[in-house]
Amino acid sequence: MTRALSRALMALACHCLGEGRREWAQAMQAEFDAVAEDGHPLSFAIGCLWGALRQMPVHEEGRFVLTNYALALVIMIPMAAVQIGWAVFSLPSLFAEHEGLRGTLAPTQALLVGGAYRAAVPSLTILLLLSGAGQLRIAWLLLECDWSRVTSTGMAILAAITTLILFMGSVFLDAGQAVTQAAVLAIELAVLAGLARWHAELDLPPPEPTGA
Amino acid sequence: MIRKRRPSKQMISLLGALSDRQWRHGYDLMKETGLLSGTLYPLLMRMTDQGLVEAEWREPAQAGRPARHAYRLTADGYALIQDIALHDGMPAAKAILP
């Protein structure tokens, strides 16, 4: 158990050191095997992780990785939570009796618009849930620096939100929240484009070949 | 070589452990200096970047073991510790010089 935990911490430490310090990560890993035989793997692994974390702000690759994590934790994941929350709690009740749109429309209007709205709610809810899941996917892909998938997922979410805005406008629903989400998403995509450019400019050694 | 900052106690301790200019493994250095891995490796990285220490992969003494990184002082590293001992009068540095 201790050994497995130590190995996991070592893997995390090596990851934190990044490509620019790959040789040092291999050196620590090789030393870990010697330390583990001597019976102190956990304290060694904790120390390596602590050292690697302290090194991150020092070099540019570390700052880049920290920025990615900050963006994922501060923007992507909260955005995903907002979209999923909206899909589950808010969207189905937008047309509610008295408190929602229905309260402000004449009975004949409510009858016409209400049917279309009720028919569309399941699809719109699924669309929003998929957008939320897409935000989580972007957060993950961002940490892996998979920029082509980040772009395609971002565009898919933007298309979903645009569809939502158009539909809500056509049935006279308040699309303010959807417009705000689209604006945040546009800013998010611009920031991601900047990060992709920063990643391309980092002077990193080529990735190690995998397999035999 | 221009030294801008006074070396830390940990750095002097590490310079002392490496002063025999033999190749040493990280774990041996930890045991000798009492430094923890979280202090030793960032220090070794910085000193290698500054050209005070050189690192090399060394084949293990016993067959079947993985290669390990070993470290030793460069000429600049040795000059630094002499400089510290002669000019700053640090007892710790003086003690490690022959």
Side-chain angles (χ1 to χ4, degrees), chain B residues 50-63:
Chain B
Q50 291 170 346
L52 302 173
V53 168
E54 57 185 327
E56 188 179 281
W57 287 100
R58 309 280 291 180
E59 285 307 315
Q62 291 170 286

Side-chain angles (χ1 to χ4, degrees), chain A residues 9 32 40 56 76 114 128 135 158 180 186 198 200 210:
Chain A
L9 293 177
F32 172 78
H40 309 100
M56 287 186 86
M76 310 291 179
L128 261 180
Q135 286 282 352
L158 199 57
T180 308
W198 185 9
T210 51

